Amino acid sequence: MSTHNVESCVINAPVEKVWAAMSAQDFKFWSLVKSTEQTSSPSEVGSTRDVTFNDGTVQTYRLLEYSLAKNALTYEIIDSKPAVTFLSAQHTIKVTRVTADNTSFVQWISDYSADGSETAVVDAKYKKLEALADLAKYLKN
């Protein structure tokens, strides 16, 4: 079983607009997220944010990497209530300009520790696909 998952899509919006929505890390576009509390600037490596989901789950993410040059960021889950079923997970979001039509290619990549279950990886797959669809709707407005 793979503990690596990549989901992607093309968003009909310029890279600057898509990166602004993703790099804020407040997940305002995502219908599964109720609220986000950040400890400092969303671009400060080491900063954390508590993401509260509509089902009551609260996860704390720590920013590991932030690149304006590459329109990419990486974060890890450092706490979850209720607890997750894997030891660790790192997620990377990349936004790339599609030069042919000024749209954006978005990738959301997840790497789980070896104990990551198939259920956790498949669950993340569908949540990311939903989040990317929500992002596309959010940026149409």
Side-chain angles (χ1 to χ4, degrees):
M1 199 255 345
S2 177
T3 57
H4 177 79
N5 172 256
V6 179
E7 299 307 327
S8 61
C9 73
V10 174
I11 302 287
N12 189 17
V15 71
E16 295 82 8
K17 192 172 180 181
V18 177
W19 177 242
M22 295 301 272
S23 66
Q25 300 169 70
D26 56 16
F27 302 104
K28 286 182 180 180
F29 60 87
W30 196 357
S31 62
L32 292 182
V33 172
K34 182 178 180 180
S35 65
T36 304
E37 292 182 38
Q38 298 187 2
T39 59
S40 59
S41 166
S43 63
E44 183 180 326
V45 172
S47 65
T48 61
R49 63 215 22 81
D50 290 332
V51 180
T52 302
F53 292 85
N54 293 330
D55 69 358
T57 299
V58 178
Q59 293 186 333
T60 303
Y61 300 159
R62 178 174 43 215
L63 186 64
L64 299 176
E65 177 184 22
Y66 186 93
S67 174
L68 282 172
K70 297 178 182 176
N71 294 329
L73 61 88
T74 300
Y75 64 94
E76 66 180 341
I77 300 172
I78 59 172
D79 191 30
S80 182
K81 292 179 181 91
V84 292
T85 59
F86 43 86
L87 185 60
S88 66
Q90 288 188 357
H91 306 277
T92 299
I93 297 169
K94 297 179 181 180
V95 182
T96 307
R97 183 181 319 277
V98 178
T99 59
D101 57 6
N102 200 31
T103 58
S104 301
F105 179 68
V106 181
Q107 284 185 297
W108 201 329
I109 305 158
S110 299
D111 288 293
Y112 296 88
S113 53
D115 62 342
S117 69
E118 182 177 356
T119 302
V121 174
V122 170
D123 181 59
K125 169 190 175 76
Y126 289 106
K127 285 180 178 168
K128 284 188 284 192
L129 287 172
E130 183 175 350
L132 291 170
D134 287 347
L135 176 65
K137 287 180 211 166
Y138 177 81
L139 292 174
K140 275 187 176 180
N141 299 331

